[in-house]
Amino acid sequence: MADPKTIPCPSASTESSSPSPPPPSPPPDAWVAESRLLLPQWESMRDSTKIVIPISISRVNQFDAARLDVEMSAMLKEQLVKVFSLLKPGLLFQYEPELDAFLEFLIWRFSIWVDKPTPGNALMNLRYRDERASPNTGKEVRTGLEGPGLSVSQKILYCISTVGGRYIWSCLQSFSAFRRWGDPEQRPLASRAWGLVQRAEGLYRACSFFNLLLFLYGGRYKTFVERILKARLVYGSPNMNRAVSFEYMNRQLVWNEFS
């Protein structure tokens, strides 16, 4: 007798071919939980304009600009001395502090006072910026170099501290050397004044050295006066390189060494 064939159950095939049940609907307050999860991302995207853009100004450019300003002043002084070359010899020597102050005042008057860079800063693509009023964040900040120039008070204080300060110090040194304040046989008042001058010079040199260390570390305010006035050197144009190239000088130095 043959075994009967197995006949599949119709109910099982019907259950397997039936569609899967739909997924359960989310609770009514699901959007509240999702909004709480996405809120930090939205806040970070909205506050992206508050991120401070770090800028780094080349320290070599700032030192080169100061050196070029000194060279420019020396060139102007040389031309001015040639004008009075036919007069009495040594006539301008006694007025040398006044002459240096006058030339430095001219450079300040036609550069910083009219919101223009000095000759050295112009060649190095630098300009002075008022760090107190410069925007660090916001929609107007795109390169980090934005910001107004120096205020009127900053310009005047810069002139007084640099031009006037150097002139007064030069005159004081010349007067003390002429009066021989440093001699031991001088009167007590002169010796005391000489001691004060030496202490002031030592204090200024110590402050300048400390400021130099801060400048080498952070790249801001190459001089002590700039740090006090919050006058920072930044690039004038973010897409322009400095105008001074030392390739020819380097080639000359190498060629001289070989020759």
Side-chain angles (χ1 to χ4, degrees):
M1 183 176 180
D3 296 333
K5 295 181 179 181
T6 305
I7 299 175
C9 180
S11 61
S13 61
T14 304
E15 291 179 359
S16 60
S17 60
S18 61
S20 59
S25 59
D29 57 346
W31 65 273
V32 178
E34 291 294 331
S35 63
R36 291 177 180 177
L37 292 176
L38 298 177
L39 183 61
Q41 300 180 8
W42 169 250
E43 292 290 340
S44 63
M45 294 175 62
R46 189 180 63 178
D47 297 341
S48 60
T49 56
K50 298 182 180 180
I51 299 176
V52 179
I53 301 177
I55 58 174
S56 177
I57 310 301
S58 175
R59 298 163 179 80
V60 177
N61 284 18
Q62 300 183 54
F63 278 126
D64 288 344
R67 183 61 183 174
L68 288 173
D69 288 336
V70 174
E71 295 294 335
M72 178 64 66
S73 179
M75 291 174 60
L76 293 176
K77 181 180 178 180
E78 182 181 359
Q79 297 297 324
L80 188 60
V81 169
K82 288 182 179 180
V83 174
F84 299 95
S85 60
L86 299 179
L87 297 180
K88 181 181 178 180
L91 178 63
L92 294 179
F93 180 75
Q94 57 182 345
Y95 301 106
E96 187 174 2
E98 289 79 8
L99 181 61
D100 294 337
F102 176 70
L103 293 177
E104 291 179 359
F105 175 79
L106 286 181
I107 295 177
W108 170 85
R109 171 61 180 82
F110 294 101
S111 59
I112 297 178
W113 178 251
V114 294
D115 292 327
K116 292 183 179 180
T118 60
N121 292 341
L123 291 174
M124 294 291 109
N125 185 28
L126 297 173
R127 70 176 182 90
Y128 276 112
R129 183 180 73 175
D130 187 3
E131 200 68 10
R132 302 172 303 177
S134 61
N136 295 326
T137 59
K139 296 182 179 180
E140 66 275 6
V141 178
R142 300 190 179 276
T143 61
L145 303 176
E146 295 82 4
L150 301 183
S151 61
V152 177
S153 60
Q154 284 178 315
K155 296 174 184 178
I156 296 176
L157 291 176
Y158 184 88
C159 179
I160 294 174
S161 57
T162 55
V163 180
R166 292 172 186 173
Y167 171 71
I168 294 175
W169 182 252
S170 179
C171 292
L172 183 61
Q173 284 186 329
S174 300
F175 184 79
S176 61
F178 179 75
R179 295 291 182 176
R180 297 182 179 180
W181 286 358
D183 292 347
E185 60 272 8
Q186 285 292 335
R187 294 177 298 178
L189 182 60
S191 300
R192 190 175 302 174
W194 178 253
L196 291 177
V197 170
Q198 294 296 318
R199 292 178 182 176
E201 183 179 5
L203 180 62
Y204 178 77
R205 291 181 180 272
C207 293
S208 299
F209 178 73
F210 183 70
N211 180 80
L212 177 62
L213 296 179
L214 294 178
F215 172 74
L216 295 177
Y217 178 77
R220 297 186 179 187
Y221 315 114
K222 70 179 185 298
T223 62
F224 187 66
V225 175
E226 293 178 359
R227 186 172 296 275
I228 294 177
L229 298 179
K230 296 298 180 181
R232 185 184 181 185
L233 283 173
V234 296
Y235 291 122
S237 176
N239 300 323
M240 186 177 70
N241 298 326
R242 62 182 186 179
V244 177
S245 177
F246 298 97
E247 295 182 0
Y248 179 76
M249 184 184 298
N250 295 335
R251 293 175 184 175
Q252 288 295 112
L253 292 174
V254 172
W255 176 251
N256 290 336
E257 291 296 329
F258 277 114
S259 61

